[in-house]
Amino acid sequence: MMSRVVLVTGSTSGIGEAAALRFAANGDHVVFNSVRSVKEGERLASSTPNAHYVQGDIARPEESVRIIRDVIEACGRLDVLVNNAGVTRKIAHKDLDAASIDVWREIFEVNVSSVAGVRPTGSSIPYAASKAALNHVTALLAKAVGPEVRVNAVAPGLIDTPWTKDWQVERTFVAAVSPLRRSGTPEDVAELIFSLSSTPYVTGQVVVVDGGFSTSA
Ligand SMILES: NC(=O)c1ccc[n+]([C@@H]2O[C@H](COP(=O)([O-])OP(=O)(O)OC[C@H]3O[C@@H](n4cnc5c(N)ncnc54)[C@H](OP(=O)(O)O)[C@@H]3O)[C@@H](O)[C@H]2O)c1
């Protein structure tokens, strides 16, 4: 396959880092991004062949535009955009007061997809709602921008990343009830992201990668 230019937002950690490294292993030019972990982004870019790093906060519209402009100036084009960066707050769903308007706003400004957007589950109601909105946007955008551009969403279940390092109760539950008997690795999700980017007749889809957890919960 021809080498592509690939931007992965939020790629200094977890799923984004694994996705960026998966594209790099294919010989693609990878652009790492994060907002706070600049040193880590620069380290990853310098240790990955054919890669560079662009700092920027994807929650700020002018910075999103600047990130894309930087990539096109440096590489001449953008072939694959992986909108991976995300944030959450762990709030019990019954605690409606804790899900303040500021929490809703912060989460909606950043997020990309999750199994929490497919089933009524997840770390908080604002988080799950932001993911459900993205899943709908995926189908709408695919209709609007095809045939030139394909738009798909990857919806992970519980994945072992720094984000979920303290979620031992949830991890034990997932391992007990999922058909595949374990939580996921960042590489499990990266493989699906990479496959979708390389599968030419799929668009507007939300693909769940959760070891079958959502079939059993
Ligand atoms: N882990 C799971 O179980 C799971 C399950 C379902 C879905 N997901 C989704 O998968 C995505 C990645 O999750 P993860 O677990 O890999 O998280 P992670 O390890 O915490 O990594 C998040 C990455 O996003 C960056 N980031 C955060 N806010 C950003 C912003 N405003 N602009 C640019 N970069 C930003 C972070 O770096 P800085 O903070 O330095 O910017 C970091 O590189 C998220 O969208 C999450 O909702 C995760």
Side-chain angles (χ1 to χ4, degrees), residues 10-16 33-37 56-59 84-87 110-114 127 131 156-159 161-164:
S11 43
T12 55
S13 167
I15 294 167
N33 154 262
S34 67
V35 60
R36 288 160 286 264
S37 49
D57 184 349
I58 58 114
N84 165 78
V87 289
V110 181
N111 271 357
V112 298
S113 194
S114 164
Y127 176 82
K131 301 296 189 176
L158 180 64
I159 308 299
T161 70
W163 173 318
T164 60

Side-chain angles (χ1 to χ4, degrees), residues 109-185:
E109 277 171 353
V110 181
N111 271 357
V112 298
S113 194
S114 164
V115 79
V118 180
R119 293 178 53 82
T121 180
S123 47
S124 67
I125 290 179
Y127 176 82
S130 76
K131 301 296 189 176
L134 275 159
N135 291 345
H136 202 52
V137 168
T138 297
L140 292 166
L141 262 188
K143 283 173 67 181
V145 301
E148 292 84 5
V149 181
R150 297 187 298 113
V151 185
N152 291 296
V154 166
L158 180 64
I159 308 299
D160 301 333
T161 70
W163 173 318
T164 60
K165 69 178 180 334
D166 299 326
W167 298 15
Q168 207 41 54
V169 173
E170 290 85 348
R171 190 165 288 108
T172 304
F173 181 64
V174 166
V177 303
S178 298
L180 297 188
R181 294 288 185 270
R182 64 174 177 87
S183 50
T185 65

